[in-house]
Each structure stands twice: as structure tokens, then as C-alpha cells.
Amino acid sequence: MIIKSVNLETVCGVTSRLPENELPEFAFAGKSNVGKSSLINALMNRKAYARTSSQPGKTQTINFYNINNAFYYVDLPGYGYAKVSLEAKEKWGKMIERYLRRSQMLKMVFLLVDIRHDPSANDKSMYDWIVYNGYHPVIIATKLDKINRSQVAKQTKAIRQGLGMAQEDILIPFSAETKQGREEIWKLLEEQL
């Protein structure tokens, strides 16, 4: 996929009205420190367009990136970050729920999990919740470069079991460092477009 233009078009906070976009949307969900911004930057072919931070929980809004004036990457707030108040977490949860339920143009939801660890209770809840809302999330197992090749099959199996994934559900190991997995993700996006 050739990325010609990227524009952070809409930023929605807790009280914002969601945009009524007319282009397809692809949403990215995941824990606060799972590498969502790094993945989105890799998919946009940009170094630091989506803000990455050493401090988890930075994305507190829903960010709509217009790509090539053809579709949107939608960056959802990270979940499960301990230093955020319960009240803030609930607001983010409601905001994400509102988006998943109301977006007319949402084509696919990508759920990011860290390949180094078994899915957390938050990951499982998010997975179940995306499925409950009628989507088949594509699982992106991030931080692939942080484990040995020999561990990949074991870890992907643990993620599939931990989330209770169906056999046909898609899981893509991904590394923001080496860009491994990026072509597979683009292929899925292109099929939807």
C-alpha cells in the first residue's frame, strides 16, 4: 500500500460528538503500553505521526487519521492502565463503546496484545466485547522482535487460547522495529477497501 497523505482529521474526547465519516474506518484497540501508536506509525509509513510515549495511557481521545483521502485509521484510547482513575477508565470505556456501536463506516477492529505475555483479563474482556458488538477482531501480537523465533508458535497459541479465539480468527505477529507483519495487515485492509 502506498501512503500518499496522512492527516489527523478529528480528535474526539469524552464529550465530543463522533464524526459521521463517509470513508471506511479501521479501528485499533489495545492496552496502554502495547505499541498502538508504533503500529499506526508503521502502517502510515511515518516515524512519529501518532504520538508514542514512554508514559503509558497517553492516548485519551479517539483519533481519526485520514489516509490518502480513502479511509481512516481510528486510534482508540488504551485500556488497563493503573495510574488512571476508575472514573476516567469508565469514561474511556463508554467512549469506545459508543464508537463501536455507532460508527456506520467501521470495517474492521484490530486488537493489539503483547506477544510476550498471556492475554490479561482486560484483553479478554475487550476481545469478548468487540465480538459481542458484532465484529471479528483481528489480533495483532505486537513486540515480536522482543522474543526468540522459537517462542513465536508457543506464544501465539497461548494468545489464541487465552482469548478463546475461533480457529478461523486471524492473528498476526507484528514488530514495529522490523515491520514484520505490516504487509499482512495492509493486505487485510485492501481486501476491505
Side-chain angles (χ1 to χ4, degrees):
M1 183 180 290
I2 297 164
I3 306 292
K4 295 189 178 94
S5 69
V6 172
N7 180 23
L8 175 56
E9 195 170 281
T10 313
V11 176
C12 289
V14 174
T15 57
S16 308
R17 262 187 73 211
L18 291 166
E20 292 178 21
N21 292 322
E22 294 180 359
L23 298 173
E25 297 170 355
F26 299 92
F28 297 86
K31 270 199 305 230
S32 297
N33 57 351
V34 76
K36 233 174 348 89
S37 297
S38 299
L39 168 71
I40 291 170
N41 284 327
L43 292 175
M44 293 192 291
N45 263 345
R46 300 294 188 274
K47 281 261 188 292
Y49 201 91
R51 286 204 314 265
T52 58
S53 170
S54 57
Q55 190 183 355
K58 267 290 187 227
T59 306
Q60 299 182 10
T61 51
I62 299 179
N63 299 329
F64 291 80
Y65 295 94
N66 182 323
I67 310 297
N68 295 345
N69 291 314
F71 60 94
Y72 291 94
Y73 290 150
V74 182
D75 186 4
L76 300 173
Y79 57 81
Y81 184 53
K83 284 191 180 162
V84 175
S85 73
L86 204 58
E87 188 183 353
K89 284 181 194 172
E90 281 176 16
K91 283 180 181 168
W92 293 353
K94 284 191 173 79
M95 187 165 62
I96 296 169
E97 184 173 11
R98 197 175 74 208
Y99 170 70
L100 286 180
R101 290 219 168 116
R102 294 202 184 150
S103 171
Q104 300 295 305
M105 298 308 292
L106 181 57
K107 299 294 177 203
M108 192 174 272
V109 180
F110 293 93
L111 177 60
L112 282 65
V113 296
D114 188 327
I115 198 165
R116 300 172 298 178
H117 311 291
D118 289 356
S120 67
N122 281 329
D123 291 328
K124 176 72 174 134
S125 300
M126 192 65 175
Y127 176 82
D128 290 344
W129 193 63
I130 294 167
V131 170
Y132 174 78
N133 278 286
Y135 296 96
H136 291 282
V138 172
I139 307 304
I140 310 281
T142 62
K143 310 196 182 202
L144 178 61
D145 50 284
K146 306 262 195 268
I147 64 169
N148 293 327
R149 275 214 175 123
S150 60
Q151 294 175 289
V152 174
K154 179 176 146 273
Q155 289 306 111
T156 53
K157 185 179 177 190
I159 290 168
R160 282 187 168 281
Q161 286 175 339
L163 294 175
M165 292 173 69
Q167 190 63 45
E168 67 276 6
D169 288 345
I170 300 167
L171 185 151
I172 301 172
F174 173 79
S175 164
E177 291 292 313
T178 67
K179 309 293 183 270
Q180 186 176 334
R182 183 173 65 179
E183 299 297 325
E184 290 169 77
I185 299 166
W186 274 343
K187 191 165 174 278
L188 286 175
L189 292 168
E190 285 170 343
E191 284 167 8
Q192 292 295 318
L193 294 169

